[in-house]
Amino acid sequence: MSYPTEVLPVEGDLAGAPNLLRAADILRAGGLVAIPTETVYGLAANALDEKAARRIFEVKGRPADNPLIVHIAEMDELAPLTGGVSAQVSKLAQRFWPGPLTVVLPGSSAVPNLVRAGLETVAVRMPAHPVARALIKAAGIPLAAPSANLSGKPSPTTAAHCFEDLNGLIPLILDGGPCGVGVESTVLDMTGNIPSVLRPGAVTPEMIGAELGEVALDPAIYSEPDPLGPVASPGMRHTHYSPKAKVVVLKGAWESCKSFLSAEQGDGVWALVFEEETVDCPLPALSLGPERESEAHARVLFALLRELDEKGAKLVYARSPGEAGVGLAVSNRLIRAAGFTEVTV
Ligand code: TXA
Ligand code: MG
């Protein structure tokens, strides 16, 4: 089906905002709406309606083995989606919800198989964005929402990014302004003996460890998964966040990087560097923000990857922050955008 896709702001008193109520009607009727969250924009549908959720996979071109996150607005919506809420999960929810943390729990049969991609587990998150929360409440249903990009493209952090990817494919995009966090939520597997981070985000392993005492990092965060082997989070197997340009992560002292980049000058060759490095970068460059501010890098990263495409970049050398705090999430997205190609000089 083809639509004239509308992009509408949500203004004033959220609970009664006409555009928000319209989005709620579309969702209740089994339709799709792109919505703002504090991490990235989501492509939402009724999580309990298999047919509605199937449209998400069709529209995004998403592989059927990649499960969706179910979004809720209140704590009492959690239990019916899961096979049980442990004391540890309650503790996490109290500390980090609403916010950029997704927990993987034993699933209940209320969540269609398709949403769980056939797994026994379900991923749930309570977003903090006021528009997302008001919408879930107004619709009165939990919302399945992957990032609102076409599969393989960088996640959208503005309504304009959603329009770029989804124009004609869905009836409505709610504009809630640019996303504050900029990278997708932390995905934490709570079904094993030790909580395990499957995808790093703004809720860092340090923060989770401080709450639960113990936390593991899934090996797939750092390394290219075996295409045939098992993975804890199916999303880790697929190519992600890729601009059209080939991306290479560039590590080393800036002085050495400069010599390296000087020799790489050429048509369509760009650099993605820290703000301090823009002044003497030998290549045309976009800035990730000050080197020490990983939150700033997270906020702009996906928009920059899209901008490099617009500029016609063919090859991009990207600097990557250290792995402390949110830096882990940023470096994880960058190494994936680079298809695990890195050069150390
Ligand atoms: O911040 C976010 O999480 C955004 C916003 C819209 O909420 N959503 C998002 O969804 O990033 P998506 O579909 O792009 O990423 C969901 C990730 C995938 O890596 C998927 O494999 C993983 O969560 N996931 C979902 N259900 C899972 C499950 N039952 N077990 C393991 N991983 C799961
Ligand atoms: Mg995604």
Side-chain angles (χ1 to χ4, degrees):
M1 202 167 7
S2 178
Y3 297 91
T5 302
E6 286 189 275
V7 182
L8 299 175
V10 183
E11 284 153 350
D13 170 29
L14 285 181
N19 294 342
L20 191 123
L21 296 180
R22 185 140 145 232
D25 283 343
I26 293 173
L27 290 166
R28 265 197 306 267
L32 269 50
V33 180
I35 65 167
T37 85
E38 75 279 22
T39 55
V40 301
Y41 275 73
L43 179 58
N46 181 352
L48 306 181
D49 176 348
E50 178 165 338
K51 212 170 137 215
R54 177 164 292 122
R55 271 297 287 160
I56 292 181
F57 286 87
E58 287 169 7
V59 164
K60 278 185 60 101
R62 185 180 178 95
D65 69 352
N66 197 2
L68 306 177
I69 295 172
V70 180
H71 297 66
I72 60 175
E74 299 290 349
M75 204 49 202
D76 60 9
E77 294 167 64
L78 179 60
L81 303 173
T82 73
V85 180
S86 67
Q88 278 204 321
V89 171
S90 297
K91 202 170 163 190
L92 283 174
Q94 229 167 43
R95 169 75 176 81
F96 298 113
W97 280 1
L101 175 70
T102 295
V103 287
V104 175
L105 306 170
S108 91
S109 54
V111 183
N113 239 310
L114 182 98
V115 171
R116 292 184 279 124
L119 299 174
E120 298 290 310
T121 52
V122 65
V124 187
R125 134 168 150 86
M126 188 189 290
H129 196 292
V131 171
R133 291 196 76 195
L135 178 62
I136 297 167
K137 284 187 202 169
I141 42 177
L143 298 179
S147 46
N149 52 300
L150 295 178
S151 231
K153 293 249 286 176
S155 293
T157 53
T158 65
H161 295 159
C162 297
F163 190 79
E164 233 170 74
D165 283 15
L166 303 177
N167 179 25
L169 297 173
I170 59 171
L172 178 59
I173 297 165
L174 283 185
D175 189 347
C179 300
V181 174
V183 293
E184 307 88 341
S185 62
T186 306
V187 178
L188 183 68
D189 184 356
M190 292 299 291
T191 63
N193 290 332
I194 300 172
S196 173
V197 176
L198 304 182
R199 178 178 73 181
V203 173
T204 63
E206 294 92 327
M207 290 158 73
I208 296 165
E211 210 57 34
L212 300 183
E214 202 173 16
V215 64
L217 296 183
D218 192 87
I221 290 176
Y222 295 108
S223 54
E224 194 163 11
D226 171 356
L228 301 176
V231 282
S233 182
M236 289 290 193
R237 202 201 308 270
H238 302 290
T239 318
H240 259 73
Y241 321 114
S242 341
K244 291 182 199 108
K246 177 177 169 49
V247 179
V248 175
V249 169
L250 178 61
K251 293 193 163 162
W254 180 236
E255 284 307 310
S256 319
C257 290
K258 274 197 301 190
S259 324
F260 175 85
L261 293 176
S262 292
E264 291 296 303
Q265 285 169 336
D267 187 35
V269 187
W270 281 74
L272 198 55
V273 298
F274 301 121
E275 194 172 292
E276 300 85 338
E277 299 166 348
T278 53
V279 284
D280 56 354
C281 183
L283 294 178
L286 298 181
S287 170
L288 283 162
E291 178 162 11
R292 293 183 178 283
E293 295 177 22
S294 295
E295 278 89 2
H297 310 155
R299 226 166 6 248
V300 297
L301 177 64
F302 289 141
L304 292 177
L305 293 179
R306 283 177 184 258
E307 195 179 332
L308 285 162
D309 273 349
E310 279 161 29
K311 296 199 177 292
K314 296 188 190 99
L315 173 61
V316 178
Y317 287 100
R319 302 282 281 153
S320 185
E323 287 169 354
V326 188
L328 180 65
V330 176
S331 59
N332 169 269
R333 302 314 188 271
L334 268 170
I335 196 68
R336 268 154 218 287
F340 293 91
T341 320
E342 72 175 36
V343 174
T344 303
V345 292

